[in-house]
Amino acid sequence: MKIFAAFVILLQVSQQASAETFKVKEGDASVLLPCKVTAPLPEDTVVEWKRLNPEITVHRRSDNRDQPGEQNQLFRTRTSLRQDAVQSGDLSLTLKNITPLDQGTFTCSASQGQKTLFSKQVELQVYTIDEKYYFDLYVTFLVLFIITLFGGVLSAVLVYKKYIMKGRSAVDM
């Protein structure tokens, strides 16, 4: 029984620690990475989004203003938070113009001084469209369509010759 109880506790802890996963396509206009806390947060709350491995700042808001100078160049001009994020508790990040470099684990955190008030991880998976794969697939289907069409026409001609022409020659005699 003790082993079962330990297993249940371990399972609950691992579920809480796992990040929510979002899958998007390269080139998508935007994705919303959710992060909601109990509102309202203190006025001097610092909201920060980071991408891990390597850890880089994706978005930072302090003094109730975005701090683009503290963002990594890769994300500058492509991120936004709601204007009332601290008051509403909705710290969700909008990331625009999705690229494969955006893939990774993101951390949303709210802090006051050295004290972390809230932290959450979100996993973003970006898949690419392999244009060569789709071109090869298109060519394969086109070839199969032509072969099927040719086979159908050939079958119709053979049936016509065998039954229709045979019937006419019997009438002509």
Side-chain angles (χ1 to χ4, degrees):
M1 185 65 177
K2 288 181 183 179
I3 294 174
F4 178 72
F7 175 77
V8 169
I9 291 170
L10 184 62
L11 182 63
Q12 287 177 337
V13 169
S14 69
Q15 286 177 341
Q16 290 172 356
S18 66
E20 197 172 356
T21 302
F22 294 88
K23 296 179 182 179
V24 293
K25 181 177 62 180
E26 174 187 12
D28 278 356
S30 67
V31 62
L32 182 69
L33 302 178
C35 183
K36 295 190 179 186
V37 300
T38 304
L41 293 167
E43 287 281 326
D44 59 343
T45 298
V46 174
V47 177
E48 194 165 43
W49 276 87
K50 292 188 175 212
R51 194 187 70 200
L52 308 177
N53 300 326
E55 186 175 295
I56 56 176
T57 300
V58 174
H59 195 97
R60 182 179 170 91
R61 179 174 289 175
S62 60
D63 299 323
N64 217 16
R65 289 185 308 202
D66 293 333
Q67 305 295 323
E70 297 185 37
Q71 281 181 287
N72 182 280
Q73 185 68 32
L74 179 65
F75 294 99
R76 202 167 292 156
T77 73
R78 298 194 306 124
T79 62
S80 62
L81 297 178
R82 288 175 47 149
Q83 283 302 113
D84 66 343
V86 173
Q87 294 81 16
S88 69
D90 187 352
L91 311 179
S92 301
L93 178 79
T94 300
L95 177 60
K96 301 174 205 157
N97 304 323
I98 308 304
T99 73
L101 295 174
D102 296 333
Q103 182 163 300
T105 302
F106 290 76
T107 301
C108 165
S109 65
S111 58
Q112 186 179 30
Q114 298 296 324
K115 182 181 177 187
T116 300
L117 305 173
F118 178 82
S119 183
K120 175 186 178 182
Q121 288 190 341
V122 178
E123 181 76 24
L124 180 63
Q125 295 178 356
V126 179
Y127 62 93
T128 59
I129 299 172
D130 186 355
E131 292 176 358
K132 183 180 181 326
Y133 168 77
Y134 285 110
F135 178 76
D136 291 345
L137 194 61
Y138 170 76
V139 169
T140 302
F141 280 119
L142 186 61
V143 168
L144 288 173
F145 174 75
I146 291 170
I147 290 170
T148 304
L149 185 64
F150 180 76
V153 170
L154 184 61
S155 295
V157 167
L158 292 175
V159 166
Y160 178 79
K161 279 188 170 183
K162 183 173 184 180
Y163 293 106
I164 305 298
M165 296 304 280
K166 191 177 193 182
R168 279 193 178 168
S169 61
V171 173
D172 293 339
M173 288 187 182

